[in-house]
Amino acid sequence: MRVAFDPGPRDGVPRIWRLDEDGAPAAAPETLADLAAVAALEKHEAPRWVFARARSYRRLLASGIDVGRAHDAELVEGLLVAAAGHFGQPHGLAAAGARLQGRTPDPDPPAVDDGPPALFDTAAPADELADLVAVHAAQQRALATAGPGMRLLAAAESAGMLVAEEMTAAGLPWRADVHDRLLVELLGPRPVLGGRPPKLAALAEAVDGAFGRPVNPDSPAEVLRAFARAGHELATTRSWELKQVDHPAVAPLLAYKELARLHSAHGWAWLRSWVRDGRFRPEYVVGGVVSGRWASRGGGALQIPKAMRAAVRADPGWRLVVADAAQLEPRMLAALSGDHALAPGDEDLYTALAAREFGGDRGKAKLALISAMYGQTTGGAAVLLATLRRRFPAAMAFVEDAARAGEQGRLVRSHLGRTCPSARPGDEQPAAARARGRFTRNFVVQATAAEWALVLLAELRGQLRAAGSPARLVFFQHDEVLLHAPAEVADATAAAVHAAAAAAGRRLFGDIPVRFPMQARVVEGYDER
DNA sequence: CGAACAGGCGCC
DNA sequence: AAAGGGCGCCTGTTCG
């Protein structure tokens, strides 16, 4: 059974509508006394809940209610709109309803972005339950004809929404005291009145000294002028370019840039803004990246520097289970292309490939595969690619077909059917066409990896719920998951991750020899190997 | 004055 | 040695 759910406005009442699998109403709409009634329904009937958007589930979580299965109409609409070749068209509930009635949809309302999500809530229109039911029914019709891949993708995307909201609610354990200690070690004591911390100030002074005049190291233009005066004409101030310059300012400047980045992006201001009560609670945007990867809002959640990861520590008596998929994208390529010899087992793929084809040079093997998937042609990649083309013709043909499709302005799709954005006016120009070819080449692999990860999350969440496990998913980053678990169930949680990874591979590709191993480690701190 | 853009770099 | 896919977010700079 399915149940459409409308939380109603803040001070209003929640409403539900029982539906058949195809989305047709199975009864009259009902008004609930309170949100607790949702919990009772979940306990006794465990329906698939049809939500208009993530915020509907956020309202439930705020009341301590979680559910097992969902259909997120906004996310599914985005998948269907893209599949129809209209990527980027409005896909919120209002837009979907308008499209259903043959009207031109208005742009989606802007995402609310004014602080941590738990602290605000934008009231939905008074009664959108009827719209939700109509849109959902239309989506079920579309999914019925779209095929099993799209149906799995719609379910996984919706499960991703559940995971994302629950992760935000749970928060990533974050020790402010450890973070502060790391900052003091790297930057010196926190400056009381703002300004540069001692070590940054010292490095800036060293840069001034090396140039013989004040130079703002934060201003690329000033730095370029200073080097030019010293006889070094640079195109940029990127660190790799600076490293090739023989000048006494280079060393302090590079050190400054590294520490300044930490200070500005993950310094004391970040800590104050984003960590409350021992938790970092970013908001995850499911499907926020064209490839289906998640984006995040607030705190740069998907760019936590390695240098700060020691601040992520389990609560006393708890552990972190840190699991990341090994060489996920080349394994996806092996599965997608049917070139299974590319990924023969569980062992490190690059090392194995290097032993067979690249004289044991793992770096070469990695560069070759990265180049194949990203479309790199320069910097010595060409000779490596020739080796790949000879040994793995099907895999290379797969990415090259995808690149050609992009160059010709055609759409490409992931394994389950996520569709890339359409070509834009101007993309037929040679340089733009090549760029689009690189994009579509990468899209097929990255988007399929993203949906594998999505199915993994859904499987893992399902396993943990079925087992009544107290372990919680607390972080997800493309091919890596973190769980927070009581020490006594940490090993079982790691085992659940392995099982979920295997299940995700089967859900996508059936019984093939390619493996998608996840290395799971049980640690107290995220920095521990 | 704020908005928009560019340069740069963190992560995958 | 230094280029190719996807992001978010900081600072500096320019523009209106």
Side-chain angles (χ1 to χ4, degrees):
Chain A
M1 192 189 53
R2 295 181 171 229
V3 175
F5 171 74
D6 175 9
R10 254 282 182 242
D11 49 358
V13 291
R15 300 172 70 215
I16 62 166
W17 205 337
R18 292 166 188 266
L19 310 172
D20 292 332
E21 269 313 291
D22 65 0
E30 301 166 43
T31 299
L32 300 181
D34 51 29
L35 291 177
V38 170
L41 199 60
E42 169 70 12
K43 185 179 174 193
H44 295 111
E45 306 187 40
R48 184 174 296 273
W49 293 90
V50 178
F51 297 115
R53 59 184 72 80
R55 268 206 316 278
S56 305
Y57 188 48
R58 198 172 299 167
R59 289 276 291 277
L60 288 181
L61 284 178
S63 299
I65 299 163
D66 56 20
V67 304
R69 299 181 302 150
H71 174 109
D72 182 315
E74 179 173 323
L75 288 176
V76 172
E77 189 74 9
L79 295 171
L80 292 171
V81 162
H86 303 123
F87 186 97
Q89 289 291 308
H91 55 276
L93 183 67
R99 207 175 285 116
L100 211 50
Q101 297 166 7
R103 291 185 284 120
T104 304
D106 294 327
D108 288 329
V112 185
D113 184 17
D114 54 358
L119 300 182
F120 69 88
D121 193 3
T122 304
D127 174 19
E128 47 177 33
L129 187 59
D131 283 350
L132 175 59
V133 167
V135 165
H136 169 254
Q139 291 178 346
Q140 288 299 89
R141 287 194 294 276
L143 288 171
T145 57
M150 280 297 286
R151 289 195 287 278
L152 174 55
L153 181 56
E157 192 95 327
S158 297
M161 179 278 283
L162 299 177
V163 172
E165 292 301 320
E166 290 165 7
M167 288 200 311
T168 300
L172 181 64
W174 197 287
R175 285 272 299 272
D177 58 325
V178 175
H179 188 150
D180 179 70
R181 182 164 52 69
L182 290 169
L183 289 174
V184 171
E185 282 168 13
L186 290 163
L187 302 169
R190 175 185 189 177
V192 180
L193 298 172
R196 288 187 176 121
K199 294 203 182 173
L200 273 183
L203 287 166
E205 260 181 56
V207 172
D208 291 347
F211 283 125
R213 58 191 299 162
V215 173
N216 180 1
D218 289 322
S219 168
E222 262 190 59
V223 171
L224 285 183
R225 283 196 294 273
F227 274 113
R229 274 191 298 267
H232 299 279
E233 294 289 343
L234 301 178
T236 73
T237 63
R238 294 196 177 111
S239 57
W240 63 260
E241 192 169 351
L242 291 177
K243 280 173 192 159
Q244 298 171 343
V245 176
D246 182 22
H247 187 277
V250 168
L253 185 55
L254 289 172
Y256 176 91
K257 283 159 78 82
E258 192 175 334
L259 291 180
R261 163 109 194 147
L262 271 181
H263 178 237
S264 68
H266 282 89
W268 289 283
W270 181 94
L271 188 56
R272 191 182 154 79
S273 300
W274 293 106
V275 176
R276 285 273 180 287
D277 304 323
R279 293 292 185 268
F280 171 41
R281 300 173 193 276
E283 182 176 0
Y284 298 90
V285 186
V286 176
V289 179
V290 293
S291 64
R293 279 184 174 182
W294 294 10
S296 69
R297 261 199 297 263
L302 303 184
Q303 300 112 252
I304 300 171
K306 293 206 159 83
M308 287 298 135
R309 293 186 177 184
V312 181
R313 289 193 67 79
D315 291 348
W318 289 57
R319 296 291 182 273
L320 298 172
V321 177
V322 182
D324 63 315
Q327 306 100 37
L328 182 58
E329 294 194 349
R331 291 176 191 277
M332 286 294 145
L333 175 57
L336 281 166
S337 64
D339 214 334
H340 296 159
L342 181 59
D346 279 12
E347 73 273 22
D348 183 283
L349 188 149
Y350 300 131
T351 302
L353 178 61
R356 285 182 291 162
E357 307 293 339
F358 294 103
D361 188 336
R362 187 181 186 276
K364 274 188 182 173
K366 182 171 181 174
L367 180 60
L369 276 170
I370 296 285
S371 302
M373 293 184 297
Y374 290 175
Q376 179 182 335
T377 53
T378 58
V383 57
L384 304 176
L385 287 172
T387 300
L388 284 189
R389 204 168 286 117
R390 192 173 63 249
R391 270 296 273 114
F392 306 104
M396 291 300 283
F398 187 89
V399 287
E400 283 165 4
D401 283 350
R404 204 170 310 119
E407 287 167 11
Q408 296 170 355
R410 303 200 311 269
L411 298 175
V412 297
R413 301 182 202 277
S414 70
H415 183 63
L416 292 183
R418 191 186 301 272
T419 308
C420 76
S422 311
R424 290 179 308 196
D427 277 0
E428 64 283 355
Q429 302 294 326
R434 282 193 299 277
R436 182 167 169 81
R438 287 192 297 273
F439 166 69
T440 50
R441 171 194 292 261
N442 184 253
F443 180 93
V444 292
V445 176
Q446 187 182 115
T448 303
E451 62 204 13
W452 176 87
L454 209 48
V455 172
L456 162 86
L457 284 179
E459 291 280 349
L460 181 54
R461 177 177 185 273
Q463 284 190 38
L464 295 175
R465 288 179 69 88
S469 170
R472 293 290 176 263
L473 279 154
V474 290
F475 189 62
F476 168 60
Q477 175 173 241
H478 311 315
D479 62 356
E480 178 178 19
V481 295
L482 261 71
L483 298 102
H484 192 219
E488 58 272 20
V489 303
D491 286 336
T493 303
V497 172
H498 291 132
R506 285 193 302 274
R507 293 292 298 273
L508 259 68
F509 299 111
D511 188 19
I512 63 169
V514 178
R515 297 285 169 260
F516 306 100
M518 286 200 96
Q519 291 150 359
R521 55 187 202 272
V522 175
V523 294
E524 294 188 40
Y526 189 18
D527 57 321
E528 299 165 31
R529 293 307 308 180

